[in-house]
Amino acid sequence: MLIFISSIAIGLLIPRDTKAFLLDMMKKYLEEYFGEELSLPSLFLLILLNNLRTLALGVSIPFVGQISVPIINGIILGIVFSIPLMELNPTIAQICSSLSESQDLILKLALTIPHGVIEFSAIILGCASALYFWSILIRWVISKSIDIRQIATRFLRHLIISVTLLIIAALIEVTITPLVAFIVQMGIC
């Protein structure tokens, strides 16, 4: 969790030019990834599959995945929170003519918190469990004195919890988050 929070700070501190370059890359990726307007079930599946892919990378690559996935997610979150929302999403300008820094932050939180708390928790749980599993597995390979089945069972249980949380987060992201953001946007614009 400390790695994730620290990487948010790194994302906030990245120079503006670098952020603009990274943001442009992310926008191109999202345009290519999302393409045309998607139905709600298609959007849900797309978000869920992307999050499951992130979790898979985080748990499957020993030690590297468990560290890099939270870092990358934190940096992206830091970048997004450091750029004005009007630049990130120009369609906001159709409803809000301008946003103060506090309004910008409130709207970003409304767009992130409903699903993000569950989504980031699921990724961190999966990565932390995988880090523990890979550490114990190495000790087991060396000494064979550890009950690896019990450790593997615990890891799989945590992985199932992580996947379940990602399903819930994706459902919230396509249903509740837009509603919360719309309500907040109407209140501040």
Side-chain angles (χ1 to χ4, degrees):
M1 188 63 141
L2 183 61
I3 291 171
F4 176 68
I5 293 170
S6 300
S7 62
I8 292 172
I10 291 168
L12 290 168
L13 298 173
I14 290 176
R16 180 94 172 134
D17 293 347
T18 306
K19 285 180 194 174
F21 171 75
L22 293 172
L23 185 61
D24 192 45
M25 281 179 40
M26 283 191 284
K27 282 182 181 178
K28 286 178 184 171
Y29 170 75
L30 290 174
E31 286 170 4
E32 187 176 301
Y33 194 66
F34 286 107
E36 68 227 30
E37 294 268 333
L38 295 172
S39 67
L40 213 53
S42 297
L43 183 59
F44 164 75
L45 284 174
L46 193 62
I47 289 168
L48 178 60
L49 291 174
N50 185 55
N51 289 340
L52 290 174
R53 185 183 66 202
T54 300
L55 179 64
L57 287 170
V59 300
S60 64
I61 305 169
F63 307 106
V64 174
Q66 294 83 56
I67 304 298
S68 63
V69 166
I71 288 173
I72 291 168
N73 276 288
I75 289 172
I76 290 170
L77 192 62
I79 289 171
V80 167
F81 268 77
S82 67
I83 296 173
L85 196 52
M86 299 287 233
E87 289 179 37
L88 291 172
N89 187 354
T91 59
I92 298 286
Q94 295 171 353
I95 297 171
C96 300
S97 58
S98 66
L99 291 172
S100 69
E101 283 186 29
S102 61
Q103 290 171 324
D104 185 79
L105 177 61
I106 290 167
L107 193 48
K108 284 179 190 168
L109 290 171
L111 288 163
T112 307
I113 288 177
H115 67 279
V117 169
I118 297 169
E119 184 178 306
F120 292 126
S121 297
I123 298 291
I124 289 170
L125 172 64
C127 288
S129 297
L131 184 61
Y132 179 74
F133 173 75
W134 289 115
S135 300
I136 296 298
L137 185 63
I138 287 173
R139 286 182 37 208
W140 177 78
V141 167
I142 293 169
S143 70
K144 305 270 193 245
S145 64
I146 298 166
D147 182 7
I148 196 67
R149 282 177 278 165
Q150 181 183 10
I151 303 299
T153 301
R154 186 181 322 156
F155 169 62
L156 290 174
R157 197 173 322 129
H158 288 154
L159 199 56
I160 290 168
I161 292 169
S162 293
V163 169
T164 303
L165 288 172
L166 288 176
I167 292 168
I168 293 167
L171 281 169
I172 291 170
E173 189 168 358
V174 298
T175 57
I176 296 171
T177 298
L179 180 60
V180 169
F182 178 75
I183 293 167
V184 169
Q185 189 175 6
M186 290 299 110
I188 63 176
C189 293

